[in-house]
Each structure stands twice: as structure tokens, then as C-alpha cells.
Amino acid sequence: MSFKTASAILRGDWLIEPSYARNLLPLLKGMIKGTSTADQTSIKEKELRTDQILSPSKKYINGSKNNIYSVNPTTAIERVPNNSIAVIDLLGPILKYGDFCSYGSVEFNDLIIRLSNSDQVKGILLNIDSPGSQSDGTGMLAETIRQVSKIKPVITVIQDGIAASGAMWIGCAAQEIYCTRVTDQVGSIGAYCTIYDFAGFFEQNGIKVHNIYAPQSIDKNKDYKEAVKGNYTLMQADLKFLVKDFIDQVSFFRGQRLKVNGNEPFTGKMYYAKDALKIGLIDGIKPISEVIKRMENLIKLRT
């Protein structure tokens, strides 16, 4: 994990499943104390990733009549063969900007635009297994996916995994969304923010911090200053605004397929595949081979 990633964890609003986010805290604590080895691992993974630059990777799925290739933001799209389905892996938490060992929503956004302009690529499959994303960049990527779906078929698939919170926002922007197993989960339509008060930590280390504001800057960082005092009203108002946009976008993307029941599915709840299908968050539960067949049918309808 780089400083950029740590900064995003500390300062941003997150559209992420809380149980996953809690697992980041020990790593963040280690970085603050200088005991984390995350940077070394990231560098190793970065070195491995450079070997995969440019060439798409062939995927083999039973019964498929099309070429299926995994692509990432470093792939030379012109190397993808004709009549191909491009598979993009959106795995783990998604930041706005990529890090040593992961790509960000900005890079995925550029990749999807390039795929939309490729005559060789006939359809795009988003393979999602993610607990969510940083709020910044999520709406941008989802809107790009929606626009590209007008040009060529885009399908989201969850294979023995989850599409939670921001990943759900991104995934449901596709033309259709499928789970492959009844144990797959989607949802967590909501947002939260964790703030950190380092005053005690600095004091224990002999560091006294003085924050000095210009006399005109009465509202600068007011939400944070109030929150560390225990007043969360301002931050909750900001999160309410963000979640309203999230809910509006999911409602728009899913349209009449979504069966709203009271406040569900907009309370932040996660749903197993069968319940997600009943409420209209997904379009079906089928093995990946059947998802590919559905993609092939959608491609035929576009030609």
C-alpha cells in the first residue's frame, strides 16, 4: 500500500462493505507505526504486472463460439483478435487512481472507452468480485459503462463472490447483471465515512499539533472538527447527499426490473443471489458458460 492509498483510506467517503473496510485498519495502523511490509509486497506485484503489459490473455469457456480475452488498462487493444469478448476483472476495493498493485476507476474508465471504439471487440464482460469503492470516481465509471452499453453489449457477472456498495453501482450500470452461484452476494447500497483522531497518538509521541486557520475560514474543515467532538450532523448530511445520488443511479440503471419494497434494497443490506433476483438487483443466476451464451445472443441482436 502506497501513501496515496493510505491517504484515500483516511480522507475519503467510501461506498464499501464495512466488514471488509475493518480489515484494512490493522494494515493502516502498521503503516502509521512503520511496521507494515505492504509496500514491499506491492512492489513485487507491480514487477509481476509489468510482464503482462500489452498482450491480452486468452480465456477458455466451454461452448463459446467467440474469442474471449482478459484485458486490463495496459493491454494493447489492437492485439485483441476479431469477434472477441473482452473480460475486465474488477477485483478487491476500487480506488479512483491506481496503485502499485491495482488499477483505479480512472484507468478502467479509459479502458472501457477504448474497448467501445474497437471493431475487434464485440462485447464486454465485467467480472466483479469487490467489496466496494472509493466514492470519488465511481459515478464517472458507472456512467461510462452505461454509455458504452448503448454501443455494444456490456454484462456484469459475479462468480462466487460479491458486488457490494460502489461495486454494485458500477456493476448495475451494465446492460445486464448475473450471479453464477446462489451464495454470491450483491447490495450494500449505502455509504459511510470513518474519521481518525490522531491527537492521542501524537501526544504519546511528544508531538503537539497546532491547526491555525485564517480568520475568514470559519467553515474550513468544520465537518471534521465537529465530528471529533462527537457531532456527526455535518458529515451525515454529506453522506446523505452522496447516498441519494447512489440510490437514484441504481434505480435508473435497473429501471422497472427493480422491485422496491419499502426502503429495500436501499438500506445498505446485502442480498444472496436468489433474494437479489426477486428484488430485481440482478437478472439471473447461471453458470459462466450460460452468461457467455447470453452475451453472444446480445451481440447477434446488435449486428
Side-chain angles (χ1 to χ4, degrees):
M1 185 187 297
S2 71
F3 172 80
K4 181 168 62 176
T5 301
S7 176
I9 294 171
L10 286 169
R11 65 181 170 78
D13 294 336
W14 280 84
L15 305 167
I16 195 167
E17 178 61 12
S19 59
Y20 185 92
R22 283 193 294 268
N23 293 331
L24 294 176
L25 295 181
L27 182 58
L28 186 61
K29 182 179 178 181
M31 289 187 66
I32 294 170
K33 290 188 173 182
T35 59
S36 173
T37 58
D39 281 339
Q40 297 176 12
T41 302
S42 298
I43 291 170
K44 289 179 181 178
E45 293 189 18
K46 182 184 179 185
E47 290 173 350
L48 290 173
R49 198 174 75 180
T50 57
D51 296 333
Q52 302 169 358
I53 290 176
L54 298 180
S55 295
S57 176
K58 176 76 173 178
K59 293 180 72 72
Y60 297 91
I61 297 176
N62 289 337
S64 175
K65 300 176 182 179
N66 283 271
N67 294 314
I68 304 173
Y69 283 88
S70 289
V71 298
N72 62 54
T74 64
T75 301
I77 302 303
E78 63 273 14
R79 296 190 183 183
V80 177
N82 285 328
N83 299 315
S84 290
I85 296 171
V87 180
I88 302 173
D89 292 328
L90 294 163
L91 311 177
I94 305 166
L95 299 173
K96 182 177 181 180
Y97 301 106
D99 205 338
F100 290 131
C101 58
S102 65
Y103 300 107
S105 55
V106 169
E107 293 158 306
F108 284 123
N109 191 76
D110 176 70
L111 171 61
I112 291 170
I113 291 172
R114 289 191 290 127
L115 291 171
S116 72
N117 293 323
S118 169
D119 292 333
Q120 297 102 296
V121 175
K122 301 303 180 182
I124 302 170
L125 188 68
L126 305 176
N127 177 41
I128 294 182
D129 185 7
S130 170
S133 64
Q134 186 179 357
S135 61
D136 296 342
T138 296
M140 171 195 66
L141 178 56
E143 179 59 21
T144 294
I145 292 168
R146 186 182 77 86
Q147 293 295 338
V148 170
S149 294
K150 299 176 182 179
I151 301 170
K152 57 186 62 175
V154 182
I155 290 179
T156 292
V157 62
I158 298 97
Q159 299 186 71
D160 201 8
I162 65 173
S165 205
M168 183 63 193
W169 186 343
I170 293 167
C172 72
Q175 186 172 345
E176 296 177 355
I177 179 170
Y178 294 96
C179 291
T180 62
R181 296 178 58 82
V182 295
T183 53
D184 293 338
Q185 290 182 283
V186 302
S188 192
I189 300 171
Y192 78 105
C193 178
T194 301
I195 64 169
Y196 299 85
D197 184 352
F198 291 105
F201 173 80
F202 289 137
E203 288 175 5
Q204 288 179 2
N205 289 272
I207 302 170
K208 198 166 185 178
V209 178
H210 299 270
N211 293 309
I212 303 169
Y213 292 84
Q216 302 96 321
S217 305
I218 57 175
D219 290 320
K220 192 170 184 65
N221 296 333
K222 187 175 181 180
D223 53 354
Y224 175 81
K225 289 187 289 185
E226 288 297 312
V228 295
K229 294 177 184 178
N231 178 12
Y232 306 138
T233 304
L234 293 175
M235 282 200 168
Q236 286 175 331
D238 181 62
L239 292 171
K240 182 179 180 180
F241 180 79
L242 172 62
V243 171
K244 184 183 184 304
D245 186 34
F246 189 176
I247 291 171
D248 288 346
Q249 290 300 304
V250 171
S251 299
F252 176 69
F253 293 151
R254 296 302 298 165
Q256 294 182 353
R257 292 172 291 183
L258 193 63
K259 301 174 181 66
V260 178
N261 180 20
N263 292 325
E264 289 194 54
F266 303 129
T267 62
K269 180 179 177 181
M270 288 289 287
Y271 298 87
Y272 283 108
K274 286 185 177 180
D275 290 331
L277 181 58
K278 288 179 183 177
I279 206 167
L281 285 175
I282 64 173
D283 295 292
I285 307 167
K286 55 182 65 180
I288 186 63
S289 58
E290 293 298 317
V291 175
I292 294 298
K293 287 182 182 179
R294 175 59 179 162
M295 172 68 82
E296 292 170 344
N297 287 334
L298 291 176
I299 292 171
K300 287 180 181 179
L301 292 173
R302 298 288 184 104
T303 57

